[in-house]
Amino acid sequence: MWGGRFAEGPSAVMREINASIPFDKRMWRQDIRGSQAHVAMLGKQAIVAAEDAARIAQGLEQVAAEFEAEGVPDDLSLEDIHMLTEARLSDRIGPVAGRLHTARSRNDQVATDFRLWVRDAIDQVEAALDTLQDALLARAEEHAATVMPGFTHLQSAQPVTLGHHLMAYFEMIGRDRSRFADARARMNLCPLGSAALAGTGFPLDREATAAALGFDGPTRNSLDSVSDRDFALEYLTCASQCALHLSRLAEEFVIWASQPFGFVSLSDQWSTGSSIMPQKRNPDAAELVRGHSGRITGALVSLMMTMKGLPLAYSKDMQDDKPPVFEAHDLLGLSIAAMTGMVESATFRAERMRAAAEAGFSTATDLADWLVREAGVPFREAHHITGRAVAKAEAGGVRLDQLPLDALQAIDARIDERVYDVLSVDASVSSRTSFGGTSPVRVREAIAAARAMREEDGR
């Protein structure tokens, strides 16, 4: 393809290090789409004769059918998917295939293909995250009133409901979807027509090409067009943040599935056994999701380092932009699917959750709040009084709501029998009625609002 300048061919090592076909062949559909739009515009603008443009378009359909049926071969001599597609086209329709590359460089071609691929990847992630949110909503609704301990520092803090806990992840995933949508909107400009770096003298209709490929318009600077990989970095940034959220949920499942907690039993579909210990039931799917977050974040750092310090416009370093994006996308898709399956099929053990919530003095804040509200005690003093009550209950091996009234009044005479209305875990969660709180009433309202918003958005 570029041998006219060179007397000798590349060495075997050069051929291998220079070739990207083993990984960029994943973009063959996008490469065909970009070429179809380009040649249609060339024909319309009379840059290429109409009959030649029609032959090229027909030949591209044939090449696409072959790739679909037979796959894309790793032909290192043709370097990349762009040269391979053009070579296959030449085999089918002869020398007229050479007209396809008029007013186009591999620089703007790959920039366009890669944007198309990342855009398609975002659409796939969006659909997968939508399904995960469906699962979270369904299980949250099922457990809107299921009491469990809420934690800070992994220590029992205050009672919450499982529905409230799951809705926290619904919110996280919603922010992830918003970030992906923002990234998609920002990247949706078409580089095709920027050529190598300076534009072209041919009378292109870049607006038509952009519209044919579903872009909002053409990019505005040819130098930036061929050297920009912000869209790939943004995709990886969004993927990394999403992977961190998935990892946090996975860690919850790992902890909850352990015998000391026993809050959840994962289905056989999402568990493995041990080669030596017959009793084991390992949450390997959750652990792998947790592990994948490191590899996805590593992909972001990898591409950042590749792009660091590159002068305008295109440099061969940028050939290494695609492997980290491809790997991260594959891992993210697996992680979302795995977490969706675990959420959908998990058996939550409500009785264990309730027992843990009752065992950790998690209603201590309710006692302090009662003293403030009913006895007019300043909160700092109420905090101190409650701490003494917790110490007495702990010494006696009982819950706060099991302390007799005389024991509480011995700590502070302002406490009366009404305090028992707030010391149970059910009373505690029911009292948290502030907007966004854990009260089952508020949880069900949040679920209803989420469903209504999704219906408005057509989800």
Side-chain angles (χ1 to χ4, degrees):
M1 290 288 181
W2 44 266
R5 170 68 176 81
F6 293 82
E8 298 180 12
S11 72
V13 172
M14 180 59 192
R15 179 176 287 126
E16 185 170 352
I17 195 174
N18 193 48
S20 58
I21 187 66
F23 54 83
D24 70 17
K25 65 183 180 181
R26 288 182 61 153
M27 300 193 305
W28 71 262
R29 291 179 179 84
Q30 290 77 22
D31 194 63
I32 295 286
R33 284 164 57 194
S35 292
Q36 288 172 328
H38 183 65
V39 76
M41 181 274 295
L42 292 178
K44 182 180 177 183
Q45 295 295 105
I47 298 169
V48 168
E51 59 271 21
D52 288 345
R55 288 184 63 193
I56 291 170
Q58 184 179 29
L60 287 169
E61 292 287 349
Q62 294 173 357
V63 174
E66 290 175 15
F67 286 165
E68 190 71 63
E70 303 169 10
V72 182
D74 291 351
D75 189 340
L76 300 187
S77 67
L78 292 172
E79 293 190 23
D80 55 35
I81 185 60
H82 323 298
M83 285 188 168
L84 178 63
T85 299
E86 189 172 332
R88 284 294 183 92
L89 180 65
S90 181
D91 291 342
R92 300 296 167 271
I93 66 173
V96 71
R99 299 189 183 281
L100 173 60
H101 209 55
T102 305
R104 184 177 74 173
S105 163
R106 278 191 297 174
N107 293 355
D108 63 337
Q109 186 178 0
V110 68
T112 302
D113 291 358
F114 200 17
R115 282 194 191 224
L116 289 170
W117 193 95
V118 171
R119 194 177 68 183
D120 291 343
I122 289 175
D123 292 343
Q124 293 165 18
V125 171
E126 158 71 17
L129 291 177
D130 183 66
T131 303
L132 174 55
Q133 283 193 304
D134 278 341
L136 288 167
L137 276 176
R139 300 313 302 272
E141 190 166 40
E142 180 184 348
H143 291 283
T146 299
V147 175
M148 67 174 291
F151 298 98
T152 61
H153 309 279
L154 205 56
Q155 303 291 310
S156 290
Q158 293 178 285
V160 296
T161 67
L162 176 57
H164 191 56
H165 197 112
L166 293 174
M167 284 300 290
Y169 285 98
F170 177 89
E171 294 294 329
M172 293 183 207
I173 299 304
R175 293 194 296 273
D176 291 329
R177 294 181 68 176
S178 176
R179 275 184 282 270
F180 277 115
D182 287 346
R184 191 189 193 283
R186 197 160 23 251
M187 62 162 281
N188 203 36
L189 296 174
C190 183
L192 202 57
S194 299
L197 75 161
T200 177
F202 289 97
L204 304 184
D205 185 348
R206 293 192 63 206
E207 287 77 10
T209 307
L213 293 172
F215 288 107
D216 295 330
T219 52
R220 291 179 288 273
N221 182 286
S222 60
L223 281 168
D224 179 55
S225 299
V226 299
S227 61
D228 168 43
R229 292 298 183 271
D230 287 2
F231 63 92
L233 286 165
E234 278 204 81
Y235 174 80
L236 290 174
T237 301
C238 297
S240 297
Q241 182 67 75
C242 183
L244 293 181
H245 290 153
L246 297 174
S247 179
R248 295 181 73 180
L249 180 56
E251 173 69 358
E252 306 264 24
F253 274 64
V254 170
I255 293 172
W256 292 353
S258 66
Q259 280 74 25
F261 275 76
F263 289 1
V264 68
S265 176
L266 298 179
S267 71
D268 290 349
Q269 293 174 299
W270 304 105
S271 305
T272 65
S274 165
S275 63
I276 189 172
M277 295 169 284
Q279 84 282 6
K280 292 296 293 299
R281 186 185 188 85
N282 299 326
D284 280 6
E287 291 173 2
L288 287 166
V289 170
R290 190 176 60 188
H292 286 350
S293 66
R295 293 173 64 187
I296 292 170
T297 305
L300 169 61
V301 175
S302 172
L303 185 53
M304 282 181 166
M305 293 303 97
T306 296
M307 296 303 297
K308 179 188 68 68
L310 291 186
L312 295 177
Y314 181 84
S315 298
K316 195 65 170 180
D317 313 46
M318 294 166 65
Q319 182 168 288
D320 286 337
D321 57 359
K322 288 169 280 297
V325 175
F326 293 162
E327 180 186 21
H329 178 67
D330 292 346
L331 292 172
L332 184 62
L334 280 173
S335 296
I336 297 170
M339 286 315 310
T340 301
M342 280 183 273
V343 170
E344 289 175 337
S345 62
T347 300
F348 294 105
R349 294 173 172 169
E351 71 288 348
R352 289 291 295 269
M353 292 183 173
R354 172 178 285 274
E358 291 176 336
F361 307 110
S362 61
T363 59
T365 305
D366 297 276
L367 173 55
D369 287 348
W370 184 91
L371 284 164
V372 171
R373 187 171 56 250
E374 302 297 334
V377 179
F379 182 81
R380 286 302 172 198
E381 184 183 352
H383 187 284
H384 181 74
I385 294 167
T386 301
R388 292 174 61 197
V390 169
K392 179 166 282 194
E394 189 172 38
V398 297
R399 303 193 307 262
L400 272 178
D401 62 340
Q402 293 174 328
L403 277 175
L405 182 59
D406 59 352
L408 287 170
Q409 289 180 330
I411 297 171
D412 193 288
R414 290 169 289 189
I415 300 175
D416 61 46
E417 66 278 355
R418 292 175 299 161
V419 77
Y420 293 104
D421 293 336
V422 303
L423 290 184
S424 73
V425 292
D426 290 303
S428 178
V429 298
S430 295
S431 72
R432 305 295 171 181
T433 56
S434 59
F435 183 79
T438 195
S439 166
V441 172
R442 291 290 174 260
V443 173
R444 292 189 177 99
E445 287 177 354
I447 293 168
R451 291 194 187 283
M453 186 178 298
R454 288 161 67 77
E455 288 179 7
E456 288 178 10
D457 293 342
R459 297 172 184 167

